[in-house]
Each structure stands twice: as structure tokens, then as C-alpha cells.
């Protein structure tokens, strides 16, 4: 019993230590999902937890990258929150496959709502086209509390690999896999492939079923006629 108790104590201590180490990371402002494909479009959510016990989050401001501006940005309404999207003129036009981009979204601000202590809120954004020549985009974020405190999530990763105190929300970009194109091609080809082979068996099955029904119906009719004849002969014999 003493061994089991010691094992349970060690397990509880390890669990508490793991939870203690994980909680600070979970409390950071982050982007989910944290990865997207280069050159494509994506939908992400800025996840904002409340880190204070005595104040509520009342405003969230996200700055969009100016060195790699995004041509298309749209936001999903959040009940109870007002959103303001600000565009600005770029220092010089950026060439895209849709033409020269002279203006782009610089900031998105959500305000008027409330994230109470112990709660979090997600603010969804659809954006693109993502650049192809970088492996990440950063979105410095300011979190304002009801007491007037402003926390700036803008710290770059430390050189030793440890996490910064207020890490900047980062979206990692990975090379395009082409899965969407392959899936689309497969989806468009699938109905053709499925329609071709399936038509003949269905028609054949219906034909066989119809022929079988007719055969059984004819056989039943013959049996019925024979029964009538046999019954009539029997009646004659009884009468005679």
C-alpha cells in the first residue's frame, strides 16, 4: 500500500507541474490554426484569453503585416462586439497576381464587448493571398483591460529558443501541397467514374427483376388454370 501511495503522490506532483507549465502558454494570445499554406487563402481565429482576475478584456487590436500586405481581409461578426477594419496606403505598390496592391488592411479592432476573468474569445478572420516567399507572418496584438491596462503581444522569439514573456501571435506558412487541386480533380472525376459503371448493372438488375416477376406471374397463372381443371374433373366424378 505504501508503494501505491508513493506512486500516486509522484503522479499527482508530476501532473500539477505539467499543468503549471502549460497554463502560461495557454493564456497567451494566439492564432488557431497556427499554420497555413503559402500562396493560398485561410481562415484563422485570434484566440484571446483573459489573464486578469480583477478586470475584463474590453478591446483587442490586431496589426497586420505591412511588409507582406494581404489583399483580401474579411472578419466574422462577433455578438456583442463592434469591429473596425482600417486600411492604409502602402509605401510602394506590391505586385500580386490580381494586379498592383496600393492599399491594404493595417489594423482590425474589436471593442465594446467583454471577456470576463476565466474566459476567452475567438475573433475569426478570413485572409489572403498569403505570400510565397516567407515562412511566417506576425500579427502584433494589443489587449486592453477594463482597468486601463494594455498588454502588447509583440515579443519576438528569444535567441535561446525559450518563449518570450508576451510572444507575438505568429502564423507559420508551409509550402502548398496541392491537395486542394487534387481533391477538386478527384471530386470532379468521381461522378463520371461512378455514373459510367453503375448505369448498366442497375438497368440489368431491373431487367432481370422484371423478367423474373413476369415468369413467376405466368407460372402462377398456369398453376391456377390446372387447379381449376382438376377441380372441375373431380366435381364431375363425384356427380357421376
Amino acid at each position: 500500500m505504501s508503494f501505491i501511495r508513493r506512486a500516486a503522490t509522484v503522479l499527482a506532483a508530476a501532473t500539477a507541474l505539467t499543468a503549471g507549465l502549460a497554463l502560461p502558454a495557454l493564456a497567451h494570445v494566439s492564432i488557431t490554426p497556427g499554420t497555413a499554406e503559402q500562396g493560398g487563402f485561410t481562415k484563422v481565429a485570434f484566440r484571446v484569453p483573459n489573464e486578469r482576475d480583477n478586470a475584463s478584456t474590453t478591446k483587442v487590436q490586431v496589426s497586420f503585416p505591412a511588409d507582406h500586405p494581404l489583399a483580401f481581409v474579411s472578419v466574422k461578426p462577433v455578438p456583442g462586439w463592434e469591429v473596425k477594419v482600417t486600411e492604409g496606403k502602402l509605401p510602394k505598390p506590391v505586385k500580386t497576381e490580381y494586379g498592383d496592391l496600393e492599399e491594404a488592411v493595417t489594423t482590425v479592432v474589436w471593442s465594446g464587448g467583454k471577456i470576463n476573468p476565466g474566459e476567452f474569445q475567438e475573433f475569426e478572420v478570413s485572409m489572403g493571398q498569403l505570400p510565397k516567399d516567407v515562412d511566417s507572418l506576425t500579427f502584433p496584438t494589443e489587449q486592453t483591460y477594463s482597468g486601463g491596462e494594455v498588454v502588447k503581444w509583440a515579443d519576438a522569439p528569444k535567441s535561446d529558443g525559450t518563449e518570450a514573456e508576451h510572444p507575438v501571435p505568429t502564423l507559420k506558412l508551409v509550402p502548398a501541397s496541392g491537395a486542394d487541386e487534387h481533391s477538386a480533380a478527384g471530386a470532379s472525376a468521381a461522378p463520371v467514374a461512378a455514373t459510367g459503371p453503375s448505369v448498366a448493372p442497375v438497368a440489368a438488375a431491373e431487367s432481370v427483376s422484371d423478367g423474373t416477376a413476369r415468369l413467376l406471374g405466368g407460372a402462377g397463372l398456369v398453376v391456377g388454370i390446372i387447379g381449376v381443371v382438376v377441380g372441375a374433373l373431380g366435381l364431375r366424378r363425384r356427380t357421376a
Side-chain angles (χ1 to χ4, degrees), residues 88-203:
K89 193 172 183 64
L90 300 176
K92 61 179 181 179
V94 176
K95 291 187 178 296
T96 70
E97 59 183 83
Y98 301 100
D100 291 343
L101 184 64
E102 298 182 351
E103 292 186 352
V105 171
T106 56
T107 60
V108 178
V109 179
W110 290 270
S111 61
K114 181 185 296 184
I115 307 175
N116 295 316
E119 299 179 350
F120 74 92
Q121 179 65 58
E122 290 186 342
F123 303 92
E124 294 183 343
V125 176
S126 177
M127 56 189 181
Q129 185 179 18
L130 300 176
K132 302 178 181 179
D133 55 349
V134 294
D135 58 6
S136 66
L137 293 176
T138 58
F139 298 82
T141 301
E142 294 184 2
Q143 182 178 8
T144 303
Y145 288 92
S146 55
E149 179 188 8
V150 178
V151 179
K152 296 183 178 181
W153 301 92
D155 295 346
K158 294 183 178 180
S159 57
D160 60 359
T162 59
E163 190 176 51
E165 182 178 1
H166 298 98
V168 60
T170 302
L171 177 65
K172 295 182 179 180
L173 302 180
V174 298
S177 64
D180 292 342
E181 296 179 359
H182 294 164
S183 298
S188 62
V192 177
T195 303
S198 64
V199 172
V202 171

Side-chain angles (χ1 to χ4, degrees), residues 1-11:
M1 291 296 293
S2 59
F3 173 76
I4 296 176
R5 289 178 180 176
R6 285 198 299 270
T9 302
V10 172
L11 178 60

Side-chain angles (χ1 to χ4, degrees), residues 14-26 163:
T15 303
L17 178 61
T18 303
L21 294 175
L23 284 177
L26 292 174
E163 190 176 51

Side-chain angles (χ1 to χ4, degrees), residues 42-128:
T42 188
K43 184 189 77 170
V44 300
F46 292 92
R47 181 174 294 173
V48 182
N50 191 334
E51 292 188 319
R52 301 294 180 261
D53 297 330
N54 56 355
S56 300
T57 297
T58 57
K59 180 181 176 182
V60 176
Q61 176 175 308
V62 177
S63 297
F64 281 66
D67 51 347
H68 294 91
L70 302 173
F72 303 97
V73 176
S74 60
V75 298
K76 182 177 180 178
V78 180
W81 291 79
E82 297 178 359
V83 60
K84 180 180 180 181
V85 181
T86 301
E87 294 185 358
K89 193 172 183 64
L90 300 176
K92 61 179 181 179
V94 176
K95 291 187 178 296
T96 70
E97 59 183 83
Y98 301 100
D100 291 343
L101 184 64
E102 298 182 351
E103 292 186 352
V105 171
T106 56
T107 60
V108 178
V109 179
W110 290 270
S111 61
K114 181 185 296 184
I115 307 175
N116 295 316
E119 299 179 350
F120 74 92
Q121 179 65 58
E122 290 186 342
F123 303 92
E124 294 183 343
V125 176
S126 177
M127 56 189 181

Side-chain angles (χ1 to χ4, degrees), residues 211-236:
T212 302
R214 291 180 180 179
L215 179 61
L216 292 176
L221 181 61
V222 171
V223 171
I225 294 173
I226 293 175
V228 171
V229 172
V230 172
L233 292 176
L235 182 60
R236 286 183 179 181

